[in-house]
Amino acid sequence: MLVANLRHTLRHLQRQPIYTAINVLGLALGLACVLLILLYVADERSFDTMHSNADRIYRVEQILDQENGHWARAPLPVASLLQERVPGIEAIAQVQRESEPLMSSEGSDIQFYEEHVLNVGPSFFDVFDFEVVEGSAARLAEPNTALLSRSAAARYFPDEPALGQTLVRHEKWSADATTYEVVGLIEDMPQNVHFRGDLLLSIATDKPAENRKWNTGAFTYVLLRDSVRPDVITDQQEALQPILDANYAEGMKLSVIPLTRIHLHSEATNDIAPQGDIRYIYLFSAIALLILLIACINYTNLATARAAQRAKEVGVRKSVGAARKQLIAQFLGESVLMALGAVVLAVGIVQLVLPAFNVLMERGLTLPLAHPLLWMGVLATGTIVGVLAGAYPAFVLSHFRPATVLKGDVRMRSLPALRKGLIVFQFAVSVVLIVCTLVIQDQLHFVQHGRLGFDQDQVAVVHTRAALPEASAESFQQALAQHPSVMTVARASGVPSEPTAIRWFRGRDIENYDGDTVILQAIRTSPELREALQLEMAEGRFFDAGRPADLADGIVINETAVRALSWEDPLGKTIQSGEQTLTVIGVVRDFHMEDMRTDIEPLMMQAGAEARRFYAVRFNPSDVPGMLAHLEATWQQFVPDMPFDYSFLSDDFAAMYRAEQRLGQLFIVFAMLAVCIACLGLFGLTAYIVQQRTKEIGIRKVLGATAADLLGLLSRDFVVLVLIAFVIAGPLAYAAMQRWLSDFAYRTELGAGVFLIALGLALGIALLTVSLHLFKAIRANPVESLRTS
């Protein structure tokens, strides 16, 4: 019986190639989306789980007052405090991240600006399970030692063993250099860790002065002993508080976060690397489920639409003795067989598009084709999807009575509301995805082209990393300006999109301020920065090169700093910084140093020779290639031993939204796929409606109805379904996008225009899909239509 049913199923599917292809393709596309998303979600959730003691590793963070927030780094002395006063700690590792230092191999011209450089000690390997393949990690206790990853060793020492060689770090704030002996090699760190390290430099090399240790931060990781709860650290807060208050900041609290939650759940700022977001995992998981449901719904609608065509088959088989359960098994078998075919096709689609998906998501995902669990899961998924998708058609078709069917009197009156409800569900999902896509694209355009408080266009930034000696800073600035396309050149220690320094001031050092502590972003700059960035002044003046007092003791603050300091008349107010009294000479209008997810922070700018890490070059676009060639030639003249590095400020800001750009591109892809799959469902319902109303169409044509009349009549139901879907989807999409936009401190308005566009697209797509099928019925000969039984 099983073989006969299988033979009958294959013969039936072969006789209906279009129907089979649509079903298999719809399910395959849905399953491929699900498989891609599951690969991504599994990778995101696997971060830091490769360590054998991952469940016992925690990061110690600091929480300041509500205004100053939650920081991922803790002061350097916190590690020794915890080791001395907190029981149950097995090991502590502190990590400091270098900001793209220039590294080179001694005696060669091989040099790179390295993105993944960490300062660590030997205890780093007591906490984490990164494999040392050559040499000894214990030697990191010695100053001027380093471990390299295999790939880093191949870059710096391609023709000789790296062990024992010398690596050079060129200092950021001087022309000096620090040498490191390579004492070991490690395996390249996997991608699914929340920080990367290609060069591990001994943290003992740069010992801060005793009075600055509390002002130096580090990412602090603790390995607790078995059965010790992380509360053991926070329980000691009261005992540690007097020390923290006296040496660091009053009211500073310690908090801990499990290692495996850092990537997706961390709420701390200034993290060691950009992290993920658990909300996106929930979002993509929901999208995968919705797309799979849409694909299953398509099968139900297509099978129902064909029910009348198979009615006589059911009647004949019942009349010769086939039981209902045999027919149910037959139809479920067809569904499962098509679903299994769709699963195999989905695996092929995923394998084909995975390289492009990896480029889009900046990942290295692979499909483990040789793993038996993959195929077990695939087969189980195909079977479950096949049964779920084919259950309703199977039970409906097997319910037909033979006598009624053989007389040709088949009416598919069962559950019409369900069929239409499924179409409404499909288009509600499609409308939500369309709205989300439009809003995301609109927000990305807003944050990249909205008012930033400065002009980011036509500004090139030369990244010197302070390699220039202080004596050459102004000469280099003047030389860069010697090109017809260069309008002005400014020096600065920080520019928008780049990290800035932080200055802490106690309340007693600030004139007319009653608070305990104030944290200000701090920039050293030259007077030309205002013109280079087109900054606007709210009060007072920017630095004037003709006024020595401005350059010696003057500061310019932003409007947010004025509010933070509660100053009504800020000009002339003073801040004591050690032995120096700083005087406010101007207030600049707020401008964004960071992306628009975050609020503008209080900022102070000060003139000084230290302003030489970045050179902001405003230019006119008449000769950009010539201007860039001039910048590089000038660089080679002043710093011949280091590579020239520049960027455009507009590109730097765009790069800050790379995650959102990927999200927007994914939404476009998933929205298009969801709509395409939903259109297959519409095609099925259209086929059913046309089949049921064939005689009506013929009669109306005989009575003089035009094609436009018939198209409007038959399309009306679908328009109503799409409108119902929109009414349901609109509030859901609005709530979802309001939640997403809340992550941005500055965001676009969620107006009605986006929803009207989404409605128009949904209606247009639905009517186009319906029309393709209706035109065939409308153009048919009415005589043939009236003969239809």
Side-chain angles (χ1 to χ4, degrees):
M1 178 64 71
L2 180 62
V3 174
N5 280 343
L6 180 60
R7 188 185 302 114
H8 184 273
T9 296
L10 292 173
R11 188 182 302 119
H12 170 73
L13 296 178
Q14 187 177 8
R15 285 199 304 264
Q16 303 289 334
I18 296 178
Y19 163 78
T20 303
I22 290 176
N23 268 302
V24 172
L25 181 61
L27 282 174
L29 288 174
L31 289 169
C33 291
V34 171
L35 195 50
L36 279 173
I37 292 174
L38 288 180
L39 286 173
Y40 173 74
V41 169
D43 183 66
E44 284 284 283
R45 296 187 69 89
S46 71
F47 268 62
D48 298 306
T49 57
M50 75 290 300
H51 302 292
S52 58
N53 297 317
D55 59 332
R56 296 194 285 127
I57 301 174
Y58 298 82
R59 186 169 73 186
V60 180
E61 302 174 343
Q62 61 172 311
I63 299 178
L64 305 175
D65 55 56
Q66 186 175 2
E67 181 180 351
N68 293 316
H70 183 172
W71 287 23
R73 286 178 293 185
L76 207 59
V78 163
S80 57
L81 272 180
L82 294 177
Q83 203 127 34
E84 293 170 4
R85 298 173 178 252
V86 177
I89 294 179
E90 185 173 319
I92 296 182
Q94 289 192 295
V95 180
Q96 292 176 320
R97 181 178 179 272
E98 292 274 359
S99 181
E100 297 188 8
L102 178 65
M103 307 294 298
S104 63
S105 57
E106 190 176 54
S108 77
D109 57 358
I110 298 174
Q111 53 185 0
F112 301 97
Y113 287 115
E114 283 290 345
E115 184 177 0
H116 303 297
V117 180
L118 305 177
N119 292 317
V120 301
S123 60
F124 180 80
F125 293 92
D126 296 332
V127 175
F128 302 106
D129 291 344
F130 300 117
E131 182 182 0
V132 179
V133 293
E134 288 186 49
S136 170
R139 292 198 58 190
L140 283 176
E142 306 170 19
N144 301 96
T145 55
L147 267 66
L148 273 62
S149 68
R150 284 189 185 275
S151 59
R155 287 201 308 274
Y156 287 97
F157 309 102
D159 301 321
E160 53 188 333
L163 212 61
Q165 299 292 335
T166 300
L167 200 64
V168 181
R169 183 186 70 182
H170 302 273
E171 299 298 333
K172 299 176 184 177
W173 306 109
S174 71
D176 298 335
T178 304
T179 59
Y180 295 84
E181 179 189 356
V182 179
V183 297
L185 299 182
I186 63 171
E187 285 289 356
D188 288 355
M189 292 185 182
Q191 286 192 334
N192 57 341
V193 291
H194 79 281
F195 60 75
R196 294 286 306 281
D198 287 330
L199 279 69
L200 305 182
L201 310 181
S202 171
I203 201 171
T205 305
D206 298 317
K207 292 184 178 179
E210 287 295 323
N211 62 347
R212 287 189 55 82
K213 276 190 176 181
W214 282 96
N215 290 335
T216 304
F219 299 95
T220 303
Y221 300 87
V222 298
L223 173 64
L224 300 181
R225 300 186 187 280
D226 286 326
S227 73
V228 175
R229 294 177 56 81
D231 298 344
V232 69
I233 295 174
T234 52
D235 287 347
Q236 296 296 318
Q237 180 70 46
E238 186 174 347
L240 299 176
Q241 198 65 55
I243 301 174
L244 299 176
D245 290 345
N247 292 279
Y248 189 56
E250 293 184 7
M252 191 269 274
K253 307 291 184 184
L254 297 178
S255 67
V256 295
I257 181 173
L259 175 69
T260 54
R261 290 180 60 86
I262 291 175
H263 178 64
L264 291 177
H265 299 272
S266 177
E267 297 179 356
T269 57
N270 300 299
D271 212 321
I272 193 169
Q275 305 300 339
D277 192 328
I278 189 63
R279 290 172 295 184
Y280 289 160
I281 299 304
Y282 296 148
L283 179 63
F284 287 133
S285 299
I287 289 173
L289 177 61
L290 292 174
I291 289 179
L292 183 60
L293 286 175
I294 289 176
C296 293
I297 288 169
N298 278 347
Y299 182 90
T300 301
N301 280 331
L302 286 168
T304 302
R306 295 187 63 257
Q309 296 178 9
R310 302 196 66 182
K312 288 186 178 180
E313 173 194 343
V314 173
V316 170
R317 295 189 66 188
K318 276 196 167 186
S319 65
V320 296
R324 187 185 179 196
K325 60 183 178 181
Q326 291 176 313
L327 294 173
I328 291 174
Q330 171 68 34
F331 292 124
L332 287 178
E334 290 179 10
S335 178
V336 169
L337 189 60
M338 279 195 291
L340 291 176
V343 166
V344 174
L345 180 58
V347 171
I349 292 173
V350 170
Q351 191 69 6
L352 186 65
V353 304
L354 197 53
F357 186 82
N358 281 330
V359 171
L360 174 63
M361 301 304 296
E362 298 181 358
R363 293 301 172 94
L365 305 179
T366 58
L367 194 60
L369 294 175
H371 203 295
L373 285 179
L374 170 69
W375 292 105
M376 291 172 61
V378 160
L379 292 175
T381 301
T383 302
I384 294 171
V385 169
V387 170
L388 292 177
Y392 172 59
F395 283 96
V396 171
L397 292 173
S398 63
H399 186 67
F400 291 158
R401 295 181 180 180
T404 304
V405 169
L406 294 176
K407 289 179 181 179
D409 186 21
V410 178
R411 296 289 185 271
M412 288 293 297
R413 295 192 180 93
S414 57
L415 301 179
L418 175 60
R419 286 195 302 275
K420 292 182 180 181
L422 294 178
I423 292 295
V424 168
F425 175 82
Q426 287 181 309
F427 267 83
V429 173
S430 300
V431 168
V432 168
L433 291 177
I434 290 172
V435 169
C436 293
T437 300
L438 293 174
V439 172
I440 290 171
Q441 295 300 319
D442 192 31
Q443 175 66 11
L444 289 177
H445 183 272
F446 174 77
V447 297
Q448 292 181 36
H449 300 92
R451 187 183 182 282
L452 297 171
F454 67 95
D455 186 0
Q456 63 176 326
D457 296 323
Q458 299 173 21
V459 177
V461 179
V462 178
H463 300 252
T464 69
R465 295 171 171 81
L468 284 162
E470 186 175 316
S472 302
E474 288 192 32
S475 300
F476 181 63
Q477 178 183 2
Q478 295 167 3
L480 289 176
Q482 302 304 310
H483 188 275
S485 293
V486 175
M487 300 168 66
T488 187
V489 180
R491 296 179 287 114
S493 63
V495 293
S497 80
E498 294 286 346
T500 60
I502 300 293
R503 295 283 299 273
W504 292 64
F505 297 97
R506 295 185 181 274
R508 61 175 178 264
D509 295 328
I510 302 171
E511 183 179 348
N512 292 351
Y513 180 69
D514 297 329
D516 295 327
T517 305
V518 169
I519 301 176
L520 301 177
Q521 289 184 327
I523 296 176
R524 291 277 188 168
T525 182
S526 67
E528 297 81 9
L529 187 67
R530 179 187 177 187
E531 183 181 352
L533 297 184
Q534 301 289 291
L535 301 176
E536 298 179 13
M537 300 300 296
E539 296 183 63
R541 65 182 182 275
F542 205 70
F543 301 104
D544 186 343
R547 301 189 185 205
D550 283 7
L551 306 183
D553 302 312
I555 57 172
V556 175
I557 61 177
N558 66 355
E559 294 171 307
T560 300
V562 173
R563 292 190 292 271
L565 296 170
S566 303
W567 283 342
E568 293 184 4
D569 183 15
L571 297 182
K573 293 292 192 299
T574 60
I575 298 177
Q576 195 68 31
S577 177
E579 300 297 323
Q580 186 180 20
T581 301
L582 304 175
T583 303
V584 177
I585 62 172
V587 177
V588 68
R589 294 200 182 279
D590 281 340
F591 64 97
H592 290 269
M593 289 294 295
E594 301 173 84
D595 59 53
M596 287 194 178
R597 297 183 201 85
T598 57
D599 290 311
I600 294 175
E601 299 289 341
L603 170 72
M604 63 171 284
M605 290 184 280
Q606 189 175 358
E610 298 92 336
R612 64 186 192 279
R613 191 177 182 201
F614 301 98
Y615 283 72
V617 181
R618 175 160 291 280
F619 60 89
N620 66 58
S622 59
D623 183 19
V624 175
M627 183 271 299
L628 293 176
H630 166 73
L631 298 184
E632 184 171 8
T634 306
W635 175 268
Q636 295 300 333
Q637 177 186 346
F638 280 80
V639 197
D641 298 329
M642 296 187 181
F644 175 62
D645 186 20
Y646 81 96
S647 63
F648 291 108
L649 193 56
S650 56
D651 293 341
D652 294 338
F653 253 79
M656 297 170 73
Y657 302 100
R658 189 174 301 161
E660 280 73 23
Q661 288 170 344
R662 291 198 301 265
L663 176 66
Q665 291 170 328
L666 273 184
F667 257 105
I668 291 174
V669 173
F670 289 136
M672 290 177 61
L673 285 173
V675 170
C676 288
I677 297 172
C679 286
L680 293 177
L682 260 190
F683 183 87
L685 188 57
T686 307
Y688 168 70
I689 294 294
V690 169
Q691 185 180 47
Q692 294 296 306
R693 303 179 72 171
T694 300
K695 286 186 177 180
E696 178 190 347
I697 293 172
I699 292 171
R700 288 182 180 274
K701 288 187 70 176
V702 169
L703 294 176
T706 65
D709 295 332
L710 293 172
L711 186 60
L713 175 68
L714 298 174
S715 301
R716 184 173 55 201
D717 289 343
F718 299 106
V719 171
V720 171
L721 293 179
V722 173
L723 290 175
I724 294 173
F726 178 77
V727 170
I728 296 172
L732 296 176
Y734 181 85
M737 285 297 93
Q738 282 284 50
R739 179 72 179 271
W740 182 73
L741 287 172
S742 66
D743 289 339
F744 293 84
Y746 306 90
R747 51 187 178 268
T748 185
E749 293 295 327
L750 193 55
V754 171
F755 294 90
L756 293 177
I757 293 173
L759 175 60
L761 287 173
L763 281 172
I765 293 168
L767 290 174
L768 178 62
T769 305
V770 169
S771 298
L772 292 176
H773 205 95
L774 291 180
F775 272 125
K776 181 180 177 181
I778 292 170
R779 295 178 60 186
N781 188 336
V783 176
E784 296 296 329
S785 299
L786 293 173
R787 287 178 180 172
T788 303
S789 58

